[in-house]
Coordinates of all heavy atoms in Angstrom, one line a residue:
M1 N -114.3 54.9 155.0 CA -113.0 54.7 154.2 C -112.8 53.2 154.0 O -112.3 52.8 153.0 CB -111.8 55.3 154.9 CG -112.0 56.8 155.1 SD -112.3 57.6 153.5 CE -110.9 57.2 152.6
D2 N -113.1 52.4 155.0 CA -113.0 50.9 154.8 C -113.9 50.4 153.7 O -113.6 49.6 152.9 CB -113.3 50.2 156.1 CG -112.3 50.5 157.2 OD1 -111.1 50.5 156.9 OD2 -112.7 50.7 158.4
A3 N -115.2 51.0 153.7 CA -116.2 50.7 152.7 C -115.7 51.1 151.4 O -115.9 50.4 150.3 CB -117.5 51.2 153.1
L4 N -115.1 52.3 151.2 CA -114.7 52.8 150.0 C -113.6 51.9 149.4 O -113.6 51.6 148.2 CB -114.1 54.2 150.2 CG -113.6 55.0 149.1 CD1 -114.6 55.4 148.1 CD2 -112.8 56.2 149.5
M5 N -112.7 51.4 150.2 CA -111.6 50.6 149.8 C -112.1 49.2 149.4 O -111.8 48.6 148.4 CB -110.5 50.5 150.8 CG -109.9 51.8 151.1 SD -108.9 52.5 149.8 CE -108.1 53.9 150.5
A6 N -113.0 48.6 150.3 CA -113.5 47.3 150.0 C -114.3 47.2 148.8 O -114.3 46.2 148.0 CB -114.4 46.8 151.3
H7 N -115.0 48.2 148.3 CA -115.9 48.2 147.2 C -115.1 48.7 146.0 O -115.7 48.7 144.9 CB -117.2 49.0 147.4 CG -118.1 48.4 148.4 ND1 -118.8 47.2 148.2 CD2 -118.4 48.8 149.6 CE1 -119.5 46.9 149.2 NE2 -119.3 47.8 150.1
G8 N -113.9 49.2 146.1 CA -113.1 49.7 145.0 C -113.8 50.9 144.3 O -113.7 51.0 143.0
L9 N -114.4 51.8 145.0 CA -115.1 52.9 144.4 C -114.1 54.0 144.2 O -113.1 54.3 144.9 CB -116.2 53.4 145.4 CG -117.2 52.3 145.9 CD1 -118.2 52.9 146.9 CD2 -118.0 52.0 144.6
E10 N -114.5 54.8 143.1 CA -113.6 55.9 142.7 C -114.5 57.1 142.4 O -115.7 56.9 142.0 CB -112.7 55.5 141.5 CG -111.7 54.4 141.8 CD -110.8 54.2 140.6 OE1 -111.1 54.7 139.5 OE2 -109.8 53.4 140.7
G11 N -114.0 58.3 142.5 CA -114.7 59.5 142.2 C -113.7 60.6 141.8 O -112.5 60.5 141.9
D12 N -114.3 61.7 141.3 CA -113.5 62.8 140.8 C -113.6 63.9 141.8 O -112.8 64.9 141.7 CB -114.1 63.3 139.5 CG -114.2 62.2 138.4 OD1 -113.1 61.5 138.2 OD2 -115.3 62.0 137.9
V13 N -114.6 63.9 142.7 CA -114.7 64.9 143.8 C -115.4 64.2 144.9 O -116.2 63.4 144.8 CB -115.6 66.1 143.3 CG1 -116.9 65.7 142.8 CG2 -115.6 67.3 144.3
I14 N -115.0 64.7 146.2 CA -115.5 64.1 147.4 C -116.2 65.2 148.3 O -115.7 66.4 148.4 CB -114.4 63.5 148.2 CG1 -113.7 62.4 147.4 CG2 -114.8 63.0 149.6 CD1 -112.5 61.7 148.1
Y15 N -117.3 64.9 148.9 CA -118.0 65.7 149.9 C -118.1 64.9 151.1 O -118.5 63.7 151.0 CB -119.3 66.1 149.3 CG -119.4 66.9 148.1 CD1 -119.3 66.3 146.8 CD2 -119.4 68.3 148.1 CE1 -119.4 67.1 145.7 CE2 -119.4 69.1 147.1 CZ -119.3 68.5 145.8 OH -119.4 69.3 144.7
A16 N -117.7 65.5 152.2 CA -117.8 64.6 153.5 C -118.2 65.4 154.7 O -117.9 66.6 154.8 CB -116.3 64.1 153.7
C17 N -118.8 64.7 155.6 CA -119.2 65.3 156.9 C -119.2 64.2 157.9 O -119.8 63.1 157.7 CB -120.7 65.9 156.8 SG -121.2 66.7 158.3
G18 N -118.6 64.4 159.0 CA -118.5 63.4 160.1 C -117.5 63.8 161.2 O -117.0 65.0 161.2
P19 N -117.1 62.8 162.0 CA -116.2 63.1 163.0 C -114.8 63.5 162.5 O -114.5 63.1 161.4 CB -116.2 61.8 163.9 CG -116.7 60.8 162.9 CD -117.7 61.5 162.0
M20 N -114.0 64.2 163.3 CA -112.8 64.6 162.8 C -111.8 63.4 162.4 O -111.1 63.6 161.3 CB -112.0 65.4 163.9 CG -110.8 66.2 163.4 SD -111.1 67.3 162.0 CE -112.0 68.6 162.9
P21 N -111.7 62.3 163.0 CA -110.8 61.3 162.5 C -111.2 60.8 161.1 O -110.4 60.6 160.2 CB -111.1 60.1 163.5 CG -111.5 60.7 164.8 CD -112.3 61.9 164.4
M22 N -112.5 60.8 160.9 CA -112.9 60.4 159.5 C -112.5 61.6 158.5 O -112.1 61.2 157.4 CB -114.5 60.3 159.5 CG -115.1 60.0 158.1 SD -116.8 60.3 158.0 CE -117.0 61.3 156.5
L23 N -112.7 62.8 158.9 CA -112.3 63.9 157.9 C -110.8 63.9 157.7 O -110.4 64.2 156.5 CB -112.8 65.2 158.6 CG -114.4 65.4 158.7 CD1 -114.7 66.7 159.2 CD2 -115.1 65.1 157.3
R24 N -110.1 63.6 158.7 CA -108.6 63.6 158.4 C -108.2 62.5 157.4 O -107.4 62.7 156.6 CB -107.9 63.2 159.8 CG -107.9 64.3 160.8 CD -107.0 64.2 161.9 NE -107.1 65.1 163.0 CZ -107.7 65.0 164.2 NH1 -108.2 63.7 164.4 NH2 -107.8 65.9 165.0
A25 N -108.9 61.3 157.6 CA -108.7 60.2 156.7 C -109.2 60.6 155.2 O -108.4 60.2 154.3 CB -109.5 59.0 157.1
V26 N -110.2 61.3 155.1 CA -110.7 61.7 153.8 C -109.7 62.7 153.2 O -109.4 62.6 152.0 CB -112.1 62.4 153.9 CG1 -112.5 63.0 152.6 CG2 -113.1 61.4 154.4
K27 N -109.2 63.7 154.0 CA -108.3 64.6 153.5 C -107.0 64.0 153.0 O -106.4 64.2 151.9 CB -107.9 65.6 154.6 CG -106.9 66.7 154.1 CD -106.5 67.7 155.2 CE -105.4 68.6 154.7 NZ -105.0 69.6 155.7
H28 N -106.5 63.0 153.8 CA -105.3 62.2 153.4 C -105.5 61.5 152.1 O -104.7 61.5 151.2 CB -104.9 61.3 154.5 CG -103.6 60.5 154.2 ND1 -102.4 61.0 154.2 CD2 -103.5 59.2 153.9 CE1 -101.5 60.1 154.0 NE2 -102.2 58.9 153.7
Y29 N -106.6 60.8 152.0 CA -107.0 60.1 150.8 C -107.1 60.9 149.5 O -106.5 60.6 148.5 CB -108.4 59.3 151.1 CG -108.9 58.6 149.8 CD1 -108.6 57.2 149.5 CD2 -109.8 59.2 148.9 CE1 -109.1 56.6 148.5 CE2 -110.3 58.6 147.8 CZ -110.0 57.3 147.6 OH -110.5 56.6 146.5
A30 N -107.8 62.0 149.7 CA -108.0 62.9 148.6 C -106.7 63.6 148.1 O -106.3 63.8 147.0 CB -108.9 64.0 148.9
G31 N -105.8 63.9 149.2 CA -104.5 64.5 148.9 C -103.6 63.6 148.1 O -102.9 64.1 147.2
E32 N -103.6 62.3 148.5 CA -102.7 61.4 147.8 C -103.1 61.2 146.3 O -102.3 60.9 145.5 CB -102.8 60.0 148.6 CG -102.0 59.9 149.8 CD -102.0 58.4 150.3 OE1 -103.0 57.7 150.0 OE2 -101.0 58.1 151.0
R33 N -104.4 61.4 146.1 CA -104.9 61.2 144.7 C -105.1 62.5 143.9 O -105.7 62.3 142.8 CB -106.2 60.3 144.8 CG -105.9 58.8 145.3 CD -107.1 58.2 145.8 NE -106.8 56.8 146.2 CZ -106.2 56.5 147.3 NH1 -105.7 57.4 148.2 NH2 -106.0 55.2 147.6

């Protein structure tokens, strides 16, 4: 998520796999947008 923000990347759909803290952050990020 730090890399996503730092590089200013954007997408229309997200696929994620990893530890639970990361997935929580992805869910929050996707929900906000």
Side-chain angles (χ1 to χ4, degrees):
M1 297 307 296
D2 295 318
L4 181 67
M5 298 298 188
H7 293 292
L9 301 173
E10 296 182 351
D12 306 307
V13 59
I14 298 174
Y15 297 85
C17 183
M20 191 58 72
M22 175 196 135
L23 297 182
R24 291 192 186 102
V26 172
K27 178 180 177 179
H28 180 72
Y29 173 90
E32 282 189 332
R33 292 158 178 79

